[in-house]
Amino acid sequence: MQPGALDAVTKPKGPLNWGQINFIHTSDTHGWLEGHIKERNYGADWGDFVSFTKHMQDKAAKKKVDLLLIDTGDLHDGNGLSDATTPNGNVTNPIFENIDYDLLTPGNHELIASDVAYNTFTKFTKVYGDKYLTSNIDICKNCQNGEPDKKEWVSMGSRSKYITTKHGLRIMAFGVILDGTNNNKNMTRIQTAAEMVKQDWFKNAVNRKDIDLFVLIGHNPVKPGIPKSLSTFPLLMDALRKMRPEIPVQGFGGHTHRRDFYIYDPMSSAMESGKYCDTVGWLSLDGIKSQPNKTASPEIKRDLDNKSIMVESADASCNKTKAFDMKLTRRYLDWNRLTFDYHATGSQNILDTSHGLKVTKGITDSRKSLNLTFVYGCAPQSYCVSCKPFGDKGNVYTLVQTAAAATVVNPDRSMKSRMIIVNKGAIRYDLVQGPFTLDDSYIVCPYTNTFRYFPDVPYSLASKVLETLNKPKSTKRSSMTVDTISSQMLGYDECDNPSPHNGADLLKPKSLFRRVLGGTTPTPGYTTCDDLGNDGDDTPHSQISEYSQPDHIQATAGFPSEGQPDKVDIVFSDFLGDRIVGALNLEHPSKNYTTDDSLLYMPENFTSNTFIPAYASMAWKDNINNCSIAG
């Protein structure tokens, strides 16, 4: 754990089931390799995870069963450790590489920025070799220095991988990113899943005779029909099952930042395992039958010692209704040392390995060298993404309104009335009570979009823009039971605010904080209902309220004390340019607006990543040297 991090107080509910083959799954880590320093449910760092996986591999060897480690992408955009470097991931990728994953695949955040995509291709994929699966992703091999006369397209990684496990299971694996991914199309290209399954290489791989299990991984929602993130897993599962109906398929997805398990048919299913290093997915699979032409391997006596406790809650709305023939269990583990030592060793005193401790120290040193612990101010309370309704003082978008109104102001136009519009997807995570640091500025909003504006827009026109951008939504309390401490399922919104800018000025660090310890009652967190029921969460939690939020937030400043102004400046992050233009022109104004008409409102180094730190420096100076965090 990192200095000052909080440890969990609630133990897991019981031991894990071990099967013939077992999987540890991570996804959407987004650079959170330091762990959640201010949140006790998820306080372990990557060094702790390195130690945990080593102990679990040793356990698997003693039990004479297989264990595979899988990651399904999105390694940056969400934390200072990954985002305060150019390109993003310069520090975190080498830290991540301390885990010897068996199968990996990229997410959309590996494909948005050309420098990140090329760095992934030339460095990261070379570490993992043919384990890095890109079944439908190509990269331009000769585009790193500009547009070539003729592009040379190659697969970013391997199309497929055939594995024979230590205990003789034969696996064919594919890695498929969802259709419509927001990638840099000059540097990368994505083949649709429907086209991919028609390719000869895919048919040849699927029809190989000596296969016992298909493993389908991908930065791809496991549940069909999620808004803005339509999964291609159903199509892929259907293709595999039709071509080889006798072979089961196990999938591992990502992108929507959820804990989820979905059953496609009695012999195919897939798992998602949270986000931001808050979840370790565990899946055990038994009863895999070898295909007839397999060379017989000696029978192995397995010491499984399964005593998993399946806890059914009284929630009658979470019912298991689908037929499923697989001998399978799944568990979602909270990312903390208490969980890791419970399942790996039974004692935190022996959890650490020399390798893990070295990784932990490397993270601490990197955070120091990047000045990520510099304190802008002391946040007086926590501001959540959706656990409070918009307008509540504990809602982060309410804070965005206040902060934008106070800090996004052009001195030359400070006397002009202005409307400042930010999209919901620009905010990636809760702002947690305590020291608000440089690291937190990336955690809350990693994107560095500039602020532009249309000057002197008639108020009668400008006043309709927000209503046009936001479809009417109810803000009533939800009865959903699947969610997280951050409460934002980004697959339901923009999971990518592409930004052409990088970094922020790094400031001198200050000392951090004192902690306030909480009680031993269940902490708020995941309460998951999936296709296998409500027994998947490894640690019991109390439910977090969930409120829908507007897609766009508007702050106003410089308005007259009475009445409305005749004209206003419409200020917005450059990511929203096309949307603002569309909303303005929908009202048939006297002039037709284009993005070329917009002007730079703030200096280029004042971005969507810096307006909240600017507010913290202005408004949160109280208790800065004795700042309590939420415990």
Side-chain angles (χ1 to χ4, degrees):
M1 291 171 64
Q2 290 299 296
L6 302 176
D7 202 2
V9 296
T10 308
K11 288 183 178 181
K13 61 189 179 185
L16 298 171
N17 263 29
W18 287 78
Q20 180 183 5
I21 184 168
N22 308 274
F23 300 88
I24 286 175
H25 177 221
T26 56
S27 188
D28 295 272
T29 52
H30 284 283
W32 284 74
L33 307 189
E34 68 202 38
H36 295 234
I37 293 176
K38 300 176 188 175
E39 297 173 274
R40 61 175 66 255
N41 288 349
Y42 319 119
D45 65 23
W46 202 251
D48 299 318
F49 186 55
V50 167
S51 297
F52 170 72
T53 56
K54 176 61 169 64
H55 286 299
M56 295 299 277
Q57 288 168 330
D58 291 345
K59 266 193 164 184
K62 290 178 181 178
K63 292 177 180 292
K64 300 182 178 65
V65 296
D66 289 311
L67 174 63
L68 299 184
L69 276 58
I70 291 175
D71 183 80
T72 47
D74 270 9
L75 306 188
H76 14 72
D77 294 328
N79 188 283
L81 195 62
S82 66
D83 299 348
T85 63
T86 303
N88 287 1
N90 234 19
V91 167
T92 48
N93 279 6
I95 296 171
F96 185 95
E97 291 161 7
N98 283 281
I99 299 288
D100 186 19
Y101 280 97
D102 296 285
L103 295 170
L104 310 89
T105 195
N108 54 297
H109 284 263
E110 278 74 78
L111 308 178
I112 295 173
S114 59
D115 58 346
V116 171
Y118 196 73
N119 189 55
T120 301
F121 172 62
T122 57
K123 295 182 179 180
F124 190 75
T125 65
K126 302 304 181 284
V127 173
Y128 289 103
D130 64 355
K131 300 175 182 179
Y132 197 76
L133 299 180
T134 57
S135 299
N136 65 332
I137 304 172
D138 290 337
I139 190 165
C140 179
K141 187 177 180 180
N142 59 335
C143 291
Q144 70 274 23
N145 295 318
E147 191 76 12
D149 293 334
K150 183 178 180 180
K151 291 187 175 182
E152 184 180 350
W153 293 100
V154 296
S155 179
M156 194 171 182
S158 297
R159 295 296 191 206
S160 63
K161 181 170 176 59
Y162 182 80
I163 300 171
T164 301
T165 68
K166 292 179 180 178
H167 298 290
L169 280 177
R170 301 162 306 171
I171 296 171
M172 181 63 74
F174 304 97
V176 184
I177 200 166
L178 74 160
D179 292 352
T181 294
N182 184 12
N183 61 306
N184 185 310
K185 293 176 176 57
N186 290 323
M187 178 64 74
T188 60
R189 66 183 184 187
I190 296 170
Q191 187 177 46
T192 66
E195 286 299 315
M196 189 200 81
V197 298
K198 298 175 184 177
Q199 303 303 307
D200 288 340
W201 72 262
F202 179 78
K203 294 177 182 178
N204 292 337
V206 173
N207 287 319
R208 179 169 172 160
K209 298 301 181 184
D210 50 347
I211 299 173
D212 302 319
L213 174 69
F214 288 116
V215 172
L216 174 64
I217 70 172
H219 199 71
N220 217 321
V222 302
K223 185 166 289 182
I226 290 180
K228 298 189 181 181
S229 304
L230 294 177
S231 174
T232 55
F233 266 26
L235 182 151
L236 295 162
M237 292 288 185
D238 185 62
L240 290 169
R241 298 287 293 123
K242 283 181 177 177
M243 294 173 71
R244 300 295 298 274
E246 77 282 12
I247 299 177
V249 187
Q250 183 55 54
F252 296 90
H255 186 64
T256 61
H257 296 189
R258 298 159 56 93
R259 292 180 175 182
D260 205 2
F261 187 89
Y262 191 81
I263 296 171
Y264 301 93
D265 71 17
M267 289 180 63
S268 63
S269 62
M271 180 182 201
E272 274 189 72
S273 301
K275 67 181 187 314
Y276 302 164
C277 291
D278 68 10
T279 301
V280 177
W282 172 264
L283 188 142
S284 68
L285 195 55
D286 230 330
I288 303 298
K289 298 177 181 179
S290 297
Q291 298 308 304
N293 69 332
K294 178 180 177 180
T295 302
S297 58
E299 186 68 23
I300 298 173
K301 183 179 179 181
R302 297 182 174 90
D303 176 22
L304 296 184
D305 188 28
N306 284 332
K307 298 177 182 178
S308 177
I309 300 172
M310 296 300 174
V311 179
E312 295 286 349
S313 79
D315 182 6
S317 66
C318 187
N319 297 318
K320 306 175 190 178
T321 59
K322 294 183 178 179
F324 193 51
D325 294 341
M326 303 296 292
K327 295 179 180 178
L328 177 151
T329 68
R330 55 81 186 90
R331 195 82 74 83
Y332 308 107
L333 280 60
D334 283 357
W335 194 291
N336 59 64
R337 280 183 63 95
L338 189 62
T339 293
F340 290 172
D341 82 66
Y342 178 88
H343 291 305
T345 68
S347 171
Q348 292 197 51
N349 294 329
I350 59 174
L351 174 66
D352 291 318
T353 63
S354 58
H355 186 190
L357 290 172
K358 183 179 179 181
V359 172
T360 291
K361 184 179 184 303
I363 294 171
T364 304
D365 292 344
S366 295
R367 282 171 50 78
K368 183 177 180 180
S369 67
L370 293 172
N371 293 320
L372 295 180
T373 57
F374 173 82
V375 179
Y376 291 103
C378 179
Q381 66 174 86
S382 293
Y383 303 87
C384 66
V385 168
S386 60
C387 73
K388 301 284 186 182
F390 179 61
D392 189 285
K393 64 180 297 187
N395 178 287
V396 74
Y397 299 109
T398 307
L399 174 67
V400 164
Q401 279 188 317
T402 303
T407 63
V408 183
V409 51
N410 181 328
D412 295 334
R413 300 187 67 82
S414 60
M415 302 307 293
K416 298 280 188 179
S417 299
R418 58 192 180 277
M419 296 175 170
I420 306 148
I421 299 175
V422 179
N423 63 306
K424 178 175 68 173
I427 304 300
R428 297 281 288 179
Y429 200 68
D430 299 347
L431 194 161
V432 180
Q433 176 185 335
F436 183 79
T437 64
L438 177 62
D439 193 21
D440 291 309
S441 73
Y442 287 99
I443 287 170
V444 176
C445 180
Y447 305 115
T448 52
N449 298 93
T450 58
F451 285 99
R452 302 189 68 82
Y453 78 114
F454 290 112
D456 299 322
V457 178
Y459 178 78
S460 59
L461 174 61
S463 62
K464 298 176 182 178
V465 169
L466 185 66
E467 182 180 358
T468 301
L469 293 174
N470 286 338
K471 294 181 180 179
K473 286 186 178 181
S474 169
T475 56
K476 67 180 181 180
R477 179 172 175 168
S478 169
S479 61
M480 291 177 62
T481 57
V482 180
D483 220 344
T484 72
I485 197 70
S486 84
S487 312
Q488 186 179 32
M489 294 178 286
L490 285 170
Y492 285 38
D493 188 51
E494 293 97 354
C495 190
D496 31 46
N497 250 27
S499 170
H501 315 291
N502 279 299
D505 293 334
L506 301 178
L507 305 172
K508 294 181 180 179
K510 293 183 180 180
S511 61
L512 274 181
F513 45 80
R514 64 183 179 91
R515 69 178 72 175
V516 176
L517 294 177
T520 58
T521 56
T523 54
Y526 282 98
T527 52
T528 307
C529 173
D530 60 26
D531 275 4
L532 288 182
N534 55 14
D535 59 5
D537 292 316
D538 187 51
T539 301
H541 289 294
S542 59
Q543 184 177 335
I544 300 173
S545 299
E546 172 74 17
Y547 296 86
S548 61
Q549 306 294 325
D551 288 336
H552 301 81
I553 302 93
Q554 177 178 283
T556 59
F559 273 48
S561 57
E562 295 183 5
Q564 306 296 347
D566 293 329
K567 296 181 178 180
V568 299
D569 290 345
I570 295 185
V571 185
F572 52 92
S573 71
D574 59 10
F575 177 71
L576 296 178
D578 289 338
R579 299 184 197 180
I580 300 295
V581 165
L584 287 169
N585 290 334
L586 191 65
E587 298 299 322
H588 306 291
S590 57
K591 63 168 287 187
N592 189 63
Y593 288 89
T594 70
T595 53
D596 291 339
D597 297 327
S598 68
L599 305 171
L600 191 66
Y601 185 75
M602 300 291 287
E604 288 192 346
N605 64 353
F606 188 97
T607 70
S608 51
N609 169 251
T610 54
F611 80 94
I612 295 179
Y615 179 76
S617 297
M618 175 192 306
W620 293 344
K621 287 301 184 183
D622 291 347
N623 303 315
I624 193 169
N625 295 318
N626 190 30
C627 189
S628 300
I629 72 172

